[in-house]
Amino acid sequence: MKIVLAAGKLSVMDPTVVDDWQLQWAQPAETILHSTAAQPAILVGEGHGDFKMTNGNFRITEQRHSQIGLPWVRNLEQAGNTVQFDLAPTPTSPSYLQLTLHYRTAGWHLDFRPLAGQLNRFWLRLLAQPSDRFYGAGEQFSAFELSGRRFPIWTSEPGIGRNKQTAVTQAADRANGGGGDYYTTNYPQATYLTSRHQLVHLATSAYAVLDFQDQRFTELSAWEIPTALYLGHAETLAATVALNKDWFGTQPPLPDWLLSGVVLGLQGGTTAVKTAVTQAHQQAGVNIAGVWTQDWVGPLTTSFGKRLHWDWHLDEKTYPQWPQQVRRWRQQGIRYLGYINPYLVTDGPLFKTAADNQYLVQTQAGEPYLIDFGEFECGTVDLLNPAAFHWFQTLIETRLIGGGMSGWMADFGEYLPTDARLYGNVDAETAHNRWPVLWAKLNRAALDATGTTGDVVPFFRSGGVGTQKYAPLLWAGDQSSDWTPDDGIPSAVTGMLTTGLTGNGLTHSDIGGYTSLYGVKRSKELWLRWAELAAFTPVMRTHEGNRPAENFQPNQDQAALRQLARLTTIHRHLLPYFRRVMAENTATGLPVMRPLMLADEANQALWHEHSSFLLGNDLLVAPILHPHTTQRTVTLPAGDWVHLWSGRQLTGGQTVSVVAPLGQPPVFYRADAADQATFKALCDKEN
């Protein structure tokens, strides 16, 4: 039996064959799924998972009780563009699964309904070819091209170092199991695209795995029967990426104020922050878009470094006369940003209020479930409880927006334990991957309720399916303050590119990274190269890191502040171009930061390239990602290009070597770009 999609219609051919069936595209003529009695494409079963969480890191094991292939088709019906049938393991056994296929714009939508009550395991195999390349899986920091590996879909701490072969990761694992691996990420998603222009999404919030290890097929599995599988196809890879918009939503353009300079991450109290702003702005000429103080709630110091007192009220002892200072900055065109997450420290009054009203995630015994965040404990706001959701939303409206904030780091969301008791008795195991989406939804509700959507900008590190339509901006999480490919500055570029392939077109990273542990310390050179990178991303924002005193800070060095001032001027100069590419992201789903392969599929060298990127369609950025480097090679996509700093004309399709002194990372623009006058003016100004 063949179910063929042609000219926007589903048709069933030879429906009498009930143990050999396949799904096909007619244009191009490809079979995407083929199930036989010997090799069924869909399997179901039962199993039990065990999740052990330590500081947001998870050790996950499974006891599998059964795995049953379903090759036999029964009760087939067709009505228009819908085909429905049951699947069974043998000709005479009961049916286990009902499958309904719908045609929708650009592809198929397959719905699954279990017909046996105990099923909680699912496997589906889609045909692959040895030449296929795979991309996506949410935000991935180590792997850009996914072939040959498996990717668990489970939101968690990414871990420190993220490479089991490195001394840093091994030290973190010995300390608390926090070293991470190539697949650990705050923002996983069971979505991927292929070099044959297919977009695939498995609709489940349960633990899932995308397995690309076998060249014959891709195996998608989940620890529940998923609700659906989406299959899309487009003429080009760029058009395939754009399908994300129809499936998941997209982001509105960021406000001009956020792109008018750098958001300075500062802490330490009113006097310290005010002094640093004055030094950077008035003495060095840094264009400051905003000041963000993560410690507005007061400091909390642990062996990890400088943490925060998560009770979500202004610490007036640390920040006296702060509202007045915020108003003065606002009059000068400098916005104020803060920090929040969905947890409440146990020694604060908000925890007592939430506990008394049963607003917190509970243990099975009905007590607040306390999470160890490393030498302090917190309760988790139950985002499934409508009353708790509204209470915390109102807190954001009054204390953050009402306190003068124009944005905040909306941190965490990954720590929901699977043995918790949730409102409505919702299963915590399947709610875990939904938690970051609910967190983004709550923040968006606060913006909508106050009429500040589009002007106030929270930014998120965690996410899942649906975050695209709630979170106006992401950041790439907590990179190590070093050059390592799995967790340092190169991983920030990889993360920003991969998240764009699954519908998140607006992102950025901490300038200088965040984590300094086990001998890692930020150098001046690293900070300056990261600032260069940030100048050619949608948002520039600094972070002092988890151990500020042990790491380079720009206010220690006038030369660094002068370089930052120059880079903020460049970023501000590009505002008209940023406006255009952000509008394109909103309208089409094409991300602001794009892999080079989207511009030149014919060039095979670009299919693995993730150390450089396109900013929109007309700027190519090749950041310096290695220490003590003042030159790098760049492969240019087809077309005519101009080196931004020198005005040198270059023909695409070749690999060129470019000098790259500090402050001048390799950047090129298309010779026929609509914004070429903007780019040329920048070149003229630099020269």
Side-chain angles (χ1 to χ4, degrees):
M1 179 180 73
K2 294 181 182 179
I3 304 173
V4 180
L5 176 61
K9 294 183 179 180
L10 290 176
S11 59
V12 181
M13 302 177 183
D14 196 9
T16 60
V17 180
V18 293
D19 63 348
D20 186 329
W21 60 280
Q22 52 190 288
L23 302 181
Q24 289 187 345
W25 306 108
Q27 295 295 330
E30 291 180 351
T31 300
I32 192 169
L33 180 154
H34 188 188
S35 181
T36 67
Q39 293 185 319
I42 297 177
L43 304 93
V44 294
E46 298 178 45
H48 174 76
D50 183 66
F51 299 81
K52 295 192 180 303
M53 182 179 75
T54 305
N55 300 136
N57 303 285
F58 287 82
R59 184 171 64 84
I60 303 172
T61 57
E62 181 193 23
Q63 292 181 353
R64 184 181 300 172
H65 307 313
S66 63
Q67 185 180 46
I68 305 164
L70 303 179
W72 285 86
V73 174
R74 291 203 185 115
N75 305 322
L76 187 144
E77 297 179 2
Q78 181 177 9
N81 270 3
T82 299
V83 177
Q84 181 175 288
F85 52 88
D86 299 343
L87 292 173
T90 70
T92 58
S93 64
S95 297
Y96 279 31
L97 193 70
Q98 184 180 80
L99 177 59
T100 305
L101 293 86
H102 312 272
Y103 169 72
R104 294 187 178 178
T105 303
W108 284 322
H109 182 262
L110 285 67
D111 293 331
F112 304 102
R113 185 169 74 90
L115 301 176
Q118 300 303 312
L119 299 175
N120 66 354
R121 294 293 184 270
F122 176 89
W123 297 265
L124 182 144
R125 291 176 174 178
L126 299 177
L127 293 181
Q129 298 177 3
S131 60
D132 283 348
R133 301 181 181 93
F134 304 94
Y135 306 88
E139 186 173 34
Q140 296 294 330
F141 298 103
S142 294
F144 175 66
E145 207 276 294
L146 311 179
S147 299
R149 288 179 167 181
R150 62 191 300 274
F151 292 85
I153 305 301
W154 188 256
T155 182
S156 70
E157 283 282 1
I160 298 170
R162 303 186 67 261
N163 185 326
K164 297 301 187 187
Q165 305 306 311
T166 64
V168 167
T169 301
Q170 292 167 5
D173 278 338
R174 287 193 299 270
N176 60 7
D181 212 330
Y182 71 88
Y183 55 82
T184 47
T185 174
N186 313 106
Y187 193 154
Q189 186 171 312
T191 308
Y192 67 91
L193 62 150
T194 78
S195 52
R196 286 187 287 139
H197 306 160
Q198 299 168 350
L199 186 66
V200 181
H201 171 66
L202 189 66
T204 178
S205 64
Y207 177 84
V209 175
L210 304 179
D211 192 335
F212 304 98
Q213 295 178 104
D214 195 311
Q215 293 186 338
R216 299 170 300 169
F217 54 80
T218 298
E219 184 175 86
L220 294 73
S221 62
W223 287 7
E224 71 171 359
I225 304 300
T227 57
L229 177 76
Y230 296 82
L231 298 170
H233 189 276
E235 291 297 318
T236 66
L237 195 61
T240 306
V241 172
L243 293 176
N244 283 288
K245 175 181 179 290
D246 296 329
W247 292 4
F248 310 122
T250 189
Q251 308 78 42
L254 298 172
D256 283 358
W257 71 261
L258 189 53
L259 283 79
S260 65
V262 66
V263 175
L264 286 179
L266 300 167
Q267 54 189 333
T270 301
T271 300
V273 172
K274 181 180 176 182
T275 299
V277 170
T278 299
Q279 181 184 12
H281 183 55
Q282 296 181 358
Q283 298 177 14
V286 175
N287 296 300
I288 301 177
V291 174
W292 80 280
T293 58
Q294 60 176 358
D295 68 340
W296 70 285
V297 293
L300 192 160
T301 302
T302 70
S303 62
F304 178 80
K306 294 191 71 172
R307 305 292 296 276
L308 314 172
H309 191 251
W310 296 350
D311 189 62
W312 317 127
H313 68 272
L314 178 66
D315 179 6
E316 295 181 353
K317 181 179 179 181
T318 306
Y319 284 96
Q321 287 84 50
W322 189 244
Q324 298 91 316
Q325 182 59 60
V326 168
R327 286 194 292 271
R328 284 193 291 270
W329 277 330
R330 182 68 174 257
Q331 292 169 356
Q332 299 169 22
I334 298 174
R335 300 291 190 106
Y336 167 49
L337 299 89
Y339 175 98
I340 197 170
N341 62 50
Y343 309 106
L344 303 172
V345 68
T346 54
D347 65 354
L350 285 179
F351 176 88
K352 184 178 187 307
T353 299
D356 289 346
N357 287 279
Q358 296 188 321
Y359 289 165
L360 298 174
V361 170
Q362 296 181 346
T363 66
Q364 293 300 321
E367 298 295 325
Y369 200 127
L370 301 184
I371 306 295
D372 181 1
F373 280 91
E375 300 169 36
F376 65 99
E377 292 184 320
C378 294
T380 303
V381 178
D382 190 340
L383 303 178
L384 290 170
N385 181 336
F389 187 102
H390 182 261
W391 172 73
F392 207 71
Q393 173 191 327
T394 302
L395 187 148
I396 290 177
E397 294 171 15
T398 56
R399 299 193 180 183
L400 277 69
I401 300 173
M405 292 188 193
S406 292
W408 51 86
M409 176 179 279
D411 205 0
F412 288 99
E414 310 92 339
Y415 282 52
L416 182 70
T418 60
D419 59 345
R421 192 169 84 183
L422 303 176
Y423 180 84
N425 292 318
V426 173
D427 176 43
E429 185 177 322
T430 55
H432 175 87
N433 278 342
R434 293 172 53 199
W435 220 248
V437 183
L438 292 170
W439 175 225
K441 183 179 181 181
L442 187 150
N443 281 264
R444 177 60 181 267
L447 301 184
D448 290 345
T450 55
T452 56
T453 303
D455 183 60
V456 172
V457 183
F459 47 99
F460 301 78
R461 73 173 192 175
S462 66
V465 178
T467 295
Q468 295 92 336
K469 62 184 177 183
Y470 296 128
L473 178 66
L474 301 183
W475 99 95
D478 299 343
Q479 274 79 38
S480 290
S481 293
D482 62 17
W483 305 87
T484 55
D486 293 285
D487 200 27
I489 184 173
S491 72
V493 178
T494 304
M496 289 187 286
L497 292 181
T498 53
T499 194
L501 294 176
T502 44
N504 297 279
L506 288 167
T507 185
H508 72 300
S509 65
D510 295 331
I511 294 176
Y514 171 75
T515 307
S516 294
L517 293 171
Y518 311 113
V520 172
K521 292 185 179 181
R522 176 198 295 166
S523 68
K524 176 181 176 181
E525 180 191 15
L526 175 73
W527 192 93
L528 288 171
R529 288 303 194 187
W530 215 311
E532 294 172 7
L533 164 63
F536 293 95
T537 66
V539 172
M540 298 183 71
R541 181 182 54 81
T542 67
H543 201 311
E544 291 190 342
N546 68 309
R547 294 183 174 182
E550 299 177 15
N551 288 275
F552 175 81
Q553 306 295 344
N555 57 8
Q556 301 169 347
D557 189 288
Q558 282 299 310
L561 282 178
R562 287 193 297 270
Q563 187 65 272
L564 179 61
R566 172 178 167 272
L567 292 170
T568 60
T569 299
I570 291 169
H571 193 262
R572 176 180 283 189
H573 180 86
L574 293 173
L575 178 57
Y577 182 66
F578 276 116
R579 281 199 199 103
R580 183 162 70 81
V581 296
M582 288 190 299
E584 185 178 13
N585 169 66
T586 302
T588 70
L590 279 174
V592 171
M593 296 173 65
R594 307 171 189 173
L596 301 188
M597 63 187 182
L598 297 190
D600 189 0
E601 293 187 40
N603 190 336
Q604 295 296 304
L606 300 181
W607 283 87
H608 295 277
E609 173 54 40
H610 58 105
S611 65
S612 56
F613 58 91
L614 289 172
L615 185 63
N617 186 57
D618 295 336
L619 274 180
L620 190 159
V621 183
I624 299 300
L625 305 177
H626 303 281
H628 316 305
T629 301
T630 57
Q631 188 165 347
R632 71 161 285 181
T633 58
V634 182
T635 301
L636 300 173
D640 294 324
W641 296 86
V642 180
H643 182 232
L644 180 64
W645 311 113
S646 68
R648 175 186 170 194
Q649 303 275 335
L650 297 160
T651 301
Q654 63 174 321
T655 299
V656 298
S657 181
V658 185
V659 294
L662 279 169
Q664 292 190 348
V667 178
F668 309 84
Y669 65 88
R670 291 189 186 274
D672 60 352
D675 294 87
Q676 61 178 295
T678 298
F679 306 143
K680 186 176 186 303
L682 183 57
C683 176
D684 293 342
K685 184 184 299 185
E686 287 288 308
N687 292 303

